Amino acid sequence: MRRNDDWLWAVLRVTLAILVAAHGWARLLHDAVAPFGAWLDSLGFVIGPVIAWAVTIYEIVASVLLAAGRYVFPVCLGFAAIYLVGLVLVHMPEGWFVVGLGRNGMEYSVLLVCTLLCVGIHYRKGGASA
């Protein structure tokens, strides 16, 4: 007999939405969009401020879509792409551990990207009707 685990996927989806929304809202509410854009410019991105605003707005708007179960697959792909870039640019150079044996490492980002991809693929395959 197959269990109906749709509610577990919904809990995971909403939890992810809250976690990624926190990124955008924190950046917006703490006036950190401009410094983020300047940092991207310092890395050689030509339009750092535009990218910073696009990422911030995406995190805020797309997290609502994710929580509501709308466009889950493409929304999760977008988040995974954003956090993969962050993983490479920010966290990978710091090593694996976020705390303890390291600082600001990539373990949380790897978990976040993997979970986003699993949720996106689950909903793409029709694992739940949201």
Side-chain angles (χ1 to χ4, degrees), residues 36-123:
F36 178 35
W39 176 74
L40 289 170
D41 274 347
S42 77
L43 294 178
F45 289 87
V46 180
I47 53 171
V50 173
I51 295 169
W53 274 107
V55 167
T56 302
I57 292 167
Y58 187 84
E59 286 172 328
I60 292 169
V61 173
S63 64
V64 173
L65 293 172
L66 182 58
R70 307 291 295 172
Y71 309 106
V72 174
F73 180 66
V75 163
C76 284
L77 287 182
F79 280 128
I82 289 168
Y83 297 130
L84 276 171
V85 171
L87 192 151
V88 170
L89 295 178
V90 177
H91 302 290
M92 193 178 288
E94 300 298 325
W96 180 255
F97 296 102
V98 174
V99 296
L101 298 176
R103 173 116 174 89
N104 206 26
M106 61 183 181
E107 66 179 326
Y108 172 73
S109 295
V110 168
L111 178 61
L112 191 57
V113 168
C114 181
T115 307
L116 284 161
L117 292 174
C118 287
V119 168
I121 291 167
H122 173 77
Y123 280 86

Side-chain angles (χ1 to χ4, degrees), residues 12-22 59 62-64 66-68 79:
L12 185 57
R13 182 177 39 78
V14 171
T15 301
L16 280 169
I18 292 167
L19 291 173
V20 297
E59 286 172 328
S63 64
V64 173
L66 182 58
F79 280 128

Side-chain angles (χ1 to χ4, degrees), residues 19-34:
L19 291 173
V20 297
H23 284 228
W25 281 109
R27 193 177 307 110
L28 183 67
L29 296 175
H30 293 280
D31 294 322
V33 179

